[in-house]
């Protein structure tokens, strides 16, 4: 069975993001992909709400979760933007790049992209996203 890891803005109590995650989980279940782990700021909350496994989104366990998955999904919302900060953009790009470097299949799912400002930011984002499967 394929192990799926989903990354996004989950576990913060944002209804829209949690609804997107619920839809992703439902779609994966319909495709008989049920071994799902979600990176979350509050793993207990995510496990309780969505009935899936969850791992911390910012710890050594994050890299372990990536190492243990078969497919890494960057899902939901507009994560690839730097209107709020470059830090969050680079965080999500780094997760995708780490998964790719570890030989994982990578998927960008239900994502809005932008706004992106700065030539180097745009180039870096394009390069990482082009490497997704």
């Amino acid at each position: 069975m394929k192990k799926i890891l989903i990354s996004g803005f989950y576990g913060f109590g944002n209804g829209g993001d949690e609804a997107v995650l619920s839809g992703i989980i439902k779609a994966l279940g319909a495709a008989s992909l049920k071994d799902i782990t979600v990176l979350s700021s509050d793993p207990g909350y995510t496990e309780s709400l969505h009935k899936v496994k969850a791992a911390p989104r910012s710890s050594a366990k994050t890299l372990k979760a990536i190492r243990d998955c078969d497919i890494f999904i960057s899902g939901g919302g507009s994560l690839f933007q730097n209107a709020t900060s470059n830090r969050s953009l680079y965080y999500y790009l780094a997760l995708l790049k780490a998964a790719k470097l570890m030989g994982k299949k990578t998927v960008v799912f239900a994502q809005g992209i932008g706004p992106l400002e700065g030539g180097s930011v745009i180039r870096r984002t394009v390069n990482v996203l082009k490497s997704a499967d």
Side-chain angles (χ1 to χ4, degrees):
M1 182 183 310
K2 298 281 185 194
K3 292 181 179 183
I4 310 297
L5 180 63
I6 304 172
S7 168
F9 194 73
Y10 307 125
F12 290 97
N14 180 304
D17 289 308
E18 299 303 336
V20 169
L21 177 58
S22 181
I24 294 170
I25 292 168
K26 184 176 179 181
L28 291 171
S32 298
L33 297 167
K34 299 183 188 316
D35 191 349
I36 299 168
T37 301
V38 175
L39 294 179
S40 172
S41 73
D42 186 343
Y45 170 81
T46 298
E47 289 176 353
S48 175
L49 182 63
H50 297 286
K51 309 301 183 227
V52 295
K53 294 176 274 185
R57 59 178 269 142
S58 297
S59 77
K61 291 180 181 178
T62 306
L63 291 177
K64 182 184 180 328
I66 295 172
R67 193 172 38 255
D68 291 346
C69 79
D70 297 304
I71 302 169
F72 178 88
I73 298 175
S74 178
S78 291
L79 303 176
F80 300 110
Q81 53 80 23
N82 63 349
T84 52
S85 76
N86 281 337
R87 182 176 173 216
S88 65
L89 171 64
Y90 291 149
Y91 167 80
Y92 292 111
L93 291 174
L95 291 177
L96 257 176
K97 188 159 183 113
K100 202 66 186 164
L101 289 170
M102 291 183 203
K104 308 305 175 179
K105 293 289 185 185
T106 58
V107 178
V108 177
F109 185 79
Q111 286 282 2
I113 299 174
L116 290 167
E117 293 196 24
S120 66
V121 167
I122 293 169
R123 282 189 298 280
R124 189 174 303 177
T125 302
V126 167
N127 286 337
V128 172
L129 293 177
K130 282 173 79 174
S131 73
D133 296 295

